[in-house]
Amino acid sequence: MTLLVDTSVWSLALRRDVEAPRPEVDELKEALLGSEMVVTTGLVLQELLQGFSGPRDRAGIIERFAALPLIQPDREDHIQAAGLRNVCRKAGVQLGTIDALLAQLCIRHGLTLLTTDEDFTHAARHSPLRVWPARARARRDS
C-alpha cells in the first residue's frame, strides 16, 4: 500500500509540544520506517509550511519532505476534483477544494489517504477514494 499523508496527520506528527497518541501518527511513523511507501504533494507541503512558524521549523519540514516522492496534479486532476466535490456536495458532504484535489490524486494514483479528517471518510462513501483502514479509526473512537 502506498500512502498519501494528509496535512492533519503531518501536523500532529511534527508538533514538538505534544506527543500525539493517534493511530494515524503511529501508522505514519511505521510507514516512514519502511512498512509502506509514503508520497506527498505540493499542496500538503504548502499547508504545513503555512501552519508552522520559524526558520528552523521551515527548514526541518523542507528537509523531511525532500526525501518523499512528489506527485503533482495535472489539468485532468483539477477537472475530476471539481466533479468529485460536486458529487459530494449533492450527497450532503462538505469537501473543500484542496481536499477534493487530494482525494482525486489518491484516486488517480491508487493511493490510500492517511488522514484524521472525517470529511474524507464521508467523501469515500461517494467515490473510489480509499481512506486508511476504518478499523483503526473505530478503535480510536471507542
Side-chain angles (χ1 to χ4, degrees):
M1 169 171 58
T2 301
L3 297 173
L4 175 64
V5 182
D6 182 37
T7 309
S8 62
V9 178
W10 282 112
S11 183
L12 288 170
L14 295 174
R15 288 183 64 179
R16 294 184 189 151
D17 57 341
V18 176
E19 180 65 28
R22 300 282 301 252
E24 296 88 354
V25 173
D26 293 341
E27 177 66 15
L28 172 58
K29 288 177 182 176
E30 288 179 33
L32 291 172
L33 291 173
S35 70
E36 309 288 346
M37 182 170 182
V38 176
V39 300
T40 194
T41 186
L43 295 165
V44 172
L45 176 58
Q46 181 179 340
E47 285 184 323
L48 275 174
L49 291 172
Q50 291 170 177
F52 283 82
S53 61
R56 205 166 104 204
D57 288 335
R58 177 180 164 80
I61 291 169
I62 292 169
E63 182 180 333
R64 282 183 175 103
F65 273 65
L68 300 176
L70 185 74
I71 58 172
Q72 297 182 19
D74 63 17
R75 183 186 315 261
E76 189 62 24
D77 287 318
H78 290 281
I79 293 167
Q80 294 299 318
L84 174 60
R85 189 165 188 259
N86 290 339
V87 165
C88 287
R89 187 180 68 235
K90 287 178 185 171
V93 175
Q94 296 300 315
L95 191 64
T97 300
I98 290 176
D99 289 350
L101 188 53
L102 292 177
Q104 170 55 32
L105 287 171
C106 287
I107 293 166
R108 180 173 75 136
H109 293 282
L111 308 171
T112 299
L113 184 64
L114 180 61
T115 185
T116 62
D117 185 339
E118 293 295 327
D119 290 344
F120 288 111
T121 303
H122 300 304
R125 293 183 188 124
H126 307 283
S127 72
L129 174 64
R130 291 190 316 243
V131 178
W132 186 69
R135 67 182 178 275
R137 203 167 281 226
R139 280 192 307 249
R140 179 192 76 212
D141 294 337
S142 57

